[in-house]
Structure formats: C-alpha cells, structure tokens
C-alpha cells in the first residue's frame, strides 16, 4: 500500500510549513511519493516563487540585469533551508540557473525551477530520493503530454525506489528541453505518479479542508463536501469551482484511484474524497452548486423546425465556422437557443447571425446578453423526487426569474439560466433550501 502525496505552494511557502508537511508525511508510512509545488505566498501580500521566476526571466530575455530578482528567489529558498537547519547548498544550482537564463532557456524552464529546487530541499529534508521530473514526465513534439510513454518511464524508474520526491508542474520534450503544464499543474504530476505506482490513494494537500458545497464568497461558511464523484467534480469544475487542476482527474480516474483533498494546516480534517463511484449518500440531495456569469443566449425561431432534418447541425455550424464553442442548447418545437460566452461571442455576433441565416434560413434570430448559468450538481438527485420542483419554488420565492432550464439525461445536474443580476440570490436560494433547511 502506498500513497502519493502532493503539497501545494502555500503548504511549502516557509520552513514552518515544511515542518508541518514533514510531520504529515512521517505520520503515515505509506506516504512514499511526494510531489512538491514551488513555494507559494506566505501572506496575502507575498509573491509566489513561480511568479518571481517568470518576472526574473522576462528581464533576462529582454537582455536586462536580473541579479537582484534572482537573489530574491535565492533568499526565499535559503530562508527555508536555514529554518529547517539543513546542510544543503543551492549555490551550484543557482549558478546553472543564472547561466541558463542568460542563454534564454525559455519561460517554461524558468518557472519549472520553482518546483525543481523545492524538490531538492524536500528530498534532503525527508531523506527520500530525488527524481527530476524532466527525466520521467514527457511531452510530444506538439507540446502534448505523452501519457503512455510517461507512465512506462515512471513505472520503470520508480519500480525499485522505496521513497522519492518528484517535483510537480513540469516535464520535458524528448530532447530534454523543459516544458511545464498550465498553471497549477503540480496537481497533474501527482496524479500521473499515482497512476504509475498504482497508489491506493492520491492525497492532495492544500490550504482548505476540501471542496465546499458553494462558493464562500457568496455563501457564508458553506458546508464541506465529504465525497464527490469524478463526474460531479467535472460538472462543478466546469462551472468555475476550483481547488484541483482539471486535468489532474484523468490519470487516476482510469485506474480507479481516489483523490483525497486535505488541509496541511488542519491535518485532522478528513477533507474531500473524489471517487469513481460510491454508494455513500451525500448528506444533502445536492453535492454542490457552482456557476458563472457572462453568457449570451442566441434564440433562433423557425416554423416547423422540429421536422427539418439537419437544422440544429446547420445552426451549430455557424458557431463552429466562427470558432465559438457553445455551452448549452435547449430547444422547443420551433425554437432553439444557443448559449455562448458573451466575451467570446460579442465581437463576432453579426458574423454568426449572418452565417445562421445563410446556412439554416431561420425566421427570426434574437440575442439576449448578461446571463448567468448555475449548475446544481448531485448524484442524489436521481433517486430523489421533486428536486427540480424544489429548486424552482426556492427561486420563485427569492424573486428570481428563471430564463433557462437544462437537465442532463444523467440526472446528475440541473443547469439554470438567470440574469447576471440574480446570480448570487439564486445560488443562496438553492443552497438554503437543500443545505440549511435540508429538504
Ligand atoms: N507553481 C506552479 C504555479 O504556481 C504550479 C503549481 O503550483 O501547481 O502555477
């Protein structure tokens, strides 16, 4: 039995935080593979080391002096090394980094040094082997992550390794040139390593005790989510809920490895379990609520639309031709509505309208902006009667006009369209009815 444990930047921002992490790792012998992020913010006004590295490299690339900026980064690491009383010098590493910056090694290389150096410190601190991610996490020539090649390489490399630290966030092309994932990508590395070593759990340690049912900026102290399925998480993440990098789900999901989101500052909390499937009922009918503002509804009318084969395809082709992805397409007998992101659509709306006319010959097109979409997600909805009814009566009581309803056939979620101005009120109303009143 072995666990892969990933620690986010705020969990490793200082020597104090490193000590907490050390205690967590030593508290469980199964915590064998550790994925560190770069040091994050120590307080609200602080700067993440990754951002310092990007800024420092910008200067290097512009041919400007970057000594002071590199020194500030060095100081951040030295503070951690001193605080942990380690006999470790990063002097040579920084010489190499300086040389590579001068030779314009690229922003990906620059940013990756945050995790790389933190990995060296972590390995020294724990007495674990250090495995450079550039040797085991690989990208193809198009910059796409090579999942299978990586899995084989990692498996072989870690086969006889008892305990190792593998820095998050980056890997390399076949020629060794460093490439990073998108921001927050250490989550992905953790998942990749968990798959390769067939871990029994992937623990993702951060600064919150798991997912919350709703956004705490809208709901005061929302309840936490104990267990969530990958599918539910995808729905919520898509609608803006974020704790974990979206791409971190795929490697472990295919192996059925659960993810446990934990809080480094409150290790006694169970956090949230992300699982493939569960017979555990969630405490409430709904698992979570998330939403986004800024959508536009394009309403298309045409008499006898229902019997015209290919109408929907032609309409969607008009969006495709203009490079616009659609979110939802609720339809009636003679109407069809396409929901799109307002900021993407705005500049191209007239091209899209004329393309719809050209391709589908509708009777009338009407565009309405400033919509918000809210996803009410829950595996419990399938087996509970009247969920939709309760949502809509709660919204009616809160004086929210519902402009669109879309329930996926999986009965995993209900999407509601309201005006931007009603967004917060609508989320509160749904939260109250299911969580506060528990009905
Ligand atoms: N350090 C990187 C970032 O700030 C990656 C990560 O923390 O996961 O985005």
């Amino acid at each position: 039995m072995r666990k892969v444990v990933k620690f986010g930047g705020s969990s490793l921002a200082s020597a104090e935080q490193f000590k907490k992490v050390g205690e967590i790792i030593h508290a469980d012998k199964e915590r064998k593979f550790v994925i560190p992020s770069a040091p994050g913010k120590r307080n609200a006004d602080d700067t993440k080391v990754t951002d310092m590295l990007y800024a420092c490299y910008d200067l290097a690339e512009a041919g400007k002096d970057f000594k002071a900026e590199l020194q500030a980064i060095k100081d951040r690491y030295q503070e951690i090394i001193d605080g942990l009383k380690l006999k470790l010098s990063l002097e040579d590493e920084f010489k190499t980094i300086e040389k590579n910056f001068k030779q314009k090694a690229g922003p990906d290389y620059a940013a990756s040094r945050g995790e790389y150096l933190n990995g060296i410190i972590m390995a020294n601190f724990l007495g674990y082997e250090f495995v450079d991610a550039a040797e085991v996490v690989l990208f193809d020539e198009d910059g796409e992550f090579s999942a299978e090649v990586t899995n084989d390489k990692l498996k072989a490399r870690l086969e006889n390794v008892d305990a190792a630290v593998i820095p998050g966030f980056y890997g390399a092309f076949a020629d060794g040139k460093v490439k990073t994932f998108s921001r927050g990508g250490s989550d992905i590395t953790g998942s990749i390593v968990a798959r390769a070593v067939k871990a029994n759990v992937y623990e993702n340690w951060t600064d919150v005790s798991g997912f919350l049912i709703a956004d705490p900026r809208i709901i005061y102290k929302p309840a936490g989510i104990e267990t969530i399925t990958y599918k539910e998480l995808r729905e919520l993440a898509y609608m803006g809920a974020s704790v974990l990098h979206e791409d971190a789900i795929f490697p472990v999901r295919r192996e059925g490895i659960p993810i446990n989101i934990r809080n480094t500052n409150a290790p006694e909390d169970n956090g949230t379990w992300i699982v493939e499937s569960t017979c555990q009922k969630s405490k409430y009918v709904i698992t979570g609520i998330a939403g986004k503002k800024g959508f536009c509804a394009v309403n298309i009318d045409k008499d006898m639309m229902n019997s015209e084969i290919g109408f929907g395809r032609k309409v969607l082709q008009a969006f495709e031709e203009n490079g616009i992805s659609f979110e939802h397409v609720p339809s009636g007998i003679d109407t069809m509505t396409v929901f799109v992101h307002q900021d993407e659509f705005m500049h191209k709306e007239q091209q899209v309208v004329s393309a719809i006319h050209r391709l589908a010959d509708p009777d009338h097109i009407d565009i309405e902006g400033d919509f918000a979409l809210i996803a009410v997600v829950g595996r419990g909805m399938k087996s509970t009667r009247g969920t939709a009814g309760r949502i809509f009566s709660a919204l009616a009581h809160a004086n929210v006009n519902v402009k669109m309803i879309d329930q996926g056939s999986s009965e995993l979620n209900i999407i509601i369209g309201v005006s931007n101005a009603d967004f917060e009120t609508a989320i509160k109303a749904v939260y109250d009815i299911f969580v506060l009143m528990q009905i």
Side-chain angles (χ1 to χ4, degrees), residues 37-38 48 50 115 169 183-186:
S37 283
K48 286 173 128 193
T50 308
E115 288 33 38
F169 188 40
R183 295 298 303 263
S186 299

Side-chain angles (χ1 to χ4, degrees), residues 198-214:
K198 295 208 182 305
N200 52 326
V201 52
Y202 167 28
E203 289 181 348
N204 189 297
W205 291 81
T206 173
D207 52 9
V208 290
S209 294
F211 295 117
L212 300 170
I213 293 185

Side-chain angles (χ1 to χ4, degrees), residues 47-340:
T47 310
K48 286 173 128 193
V49 165
T50 308
D51 292 318
M52 295 170 85
L53 283 159
Y54 277 126
C56 180
Y57 183 73
D58 280 349
L59 294 172
E61 189 150 87
K64 296 189 183 142
D65 180 43
F66 58 90
K67 267 210 166 55
E69 285 71 16
L70 195 62
Q71 185 60 44
I73 296 165
K74 208 168 160 184
D75 292 345
R76 290 269 332 240
Y77 286 105
Q78 198 55 49
E79 196 183 296
I80 296 173
I81 292 171
D82 294 344
L84 297 175
K85 300 194 171 55
L86 299 178
K87 285 188 189 59
L88 173 71
S89 165
L90 294 179
E91 205 54 51
D92 289 346
E93 295 291 350
F94 271 96
K95 276 196 189 121
T96 309
I97 292 170
E98 187 177 346
K99 190 182 91 211
N100 288 337
F101 272 33
K102 282 186 182 147
Q103 289 172 356
K104 310 206 169 144
D108 279 20
Y109 166 80
S112 74
R113 296 306 86 185
E115 288 33 38
Y116 171 80
L117 295 169
N118 234 16
I120 292 178
I121 298 179
M122 178 67 88
N124 188 288
F125 176 53
L126 296 172
Y128 282 16
E129 186 172 337
F130 174 77
V131 176
D132 187 355
E135 287 163 24
V136 283
V137 176
L138 295 168
F139 290 84
D140 67 19
E141 56 279 10
D142 301 323
E144 294 295 324
F145 167 60
S146 302
E148 299 315 312
V149 182
T150 298
N151 195 46
D152 292 345
K153 261 227 139 119
L154 253 176
K155 243 194 207 150
R157 176 68 180 82
L158 298 178
E159 200 162 18
N160 298 314
V161 173
D162 175 48
V165 174
I166 304 131
F169 188 40
Y170 71 93
F173 291 102
D175 65 1
K177 188 175 186 323
V178 168
K179 160 107 183 91
T180 61
F181 290 109
S182 55
R183 295 298 303 263
S186 299
D187 286 341
I188 310 174
T189 312
S191 183
I192 293 167
V193 175
R195 177 186 171 202
V197 303
K198 295 208 182 305
N200 52 326
V201 52
Y202 167 28
E203 289 181 348
N204 189 297
W205 291 81
T206 173
D207 52 9
V208 290
S209 294
F211 295 117
L212 300 170
I213 293 185
D215 188 336
R217 287 167 299 187
I218 299 173
I219 304 290
Y220 178 68
K221 292 202 173 168
I225 301 176
E226 283 169 22
T227 311
I228 184 169
T229 65
Y230 292 129
K231 277 194 189 142
E232 289 174 312
L233 180 61
R234 282 279 296 155
E235 301 281 352
L236 289 172
Y238 185 67
M239 274 297 179
S242 67
V243 167
L244 188 73
H245 193 297
E246 254 198 286
D247 295 342
I249 293 175
F250 302 107
V252 284
R253 182 178 179 167
R254 53 187 299 165
E255 298 289 327
I257 301 167
I259 306 176
N260 187 196
I261 308 284
R262 300 284 292 265
N263 189 348
T264 301
N265 304 317
E268 62 287 355
D269 290 354
N270 290 329
T272 299
W273 283 89
I274 309 169
V275 299
E276 186 176 2
S277 181
T278 175
C279 64
Q280 274 184 49
K281 293 221 165 38
S282 55
K283 202 161 160 195
Y284 312 102
V285 174
I286 59 164
T287 305
I289 317 162
K292 277 188 204 164
K293 289 183 182 176
F295 291 93
C296 216
V298 184
N299 303 308
I300 301 127
D301 290 0
K302 186 172 189 182
D303 283 346
M304 304 300 287
M305 180 193 290
N306 66 322
S307 57
E308 187 180 326
I309 293 170
F311 185 85
R313 176 182 51 76
K314 290 174 203 158
V315 167
L316 294 181
Q317 190 182 334
F319 289 87
E320 185 181 349
E321 280 181 5
N322 285 284
I324 292 173
S325 68
F326 64 89
E327 298 298 308
H328 290 279
V329 189
S331 62
I333 302 173
D334 292 330
T335 63
M336 169 173 172
T337 303
V338 182
F339 276 86
V340 287

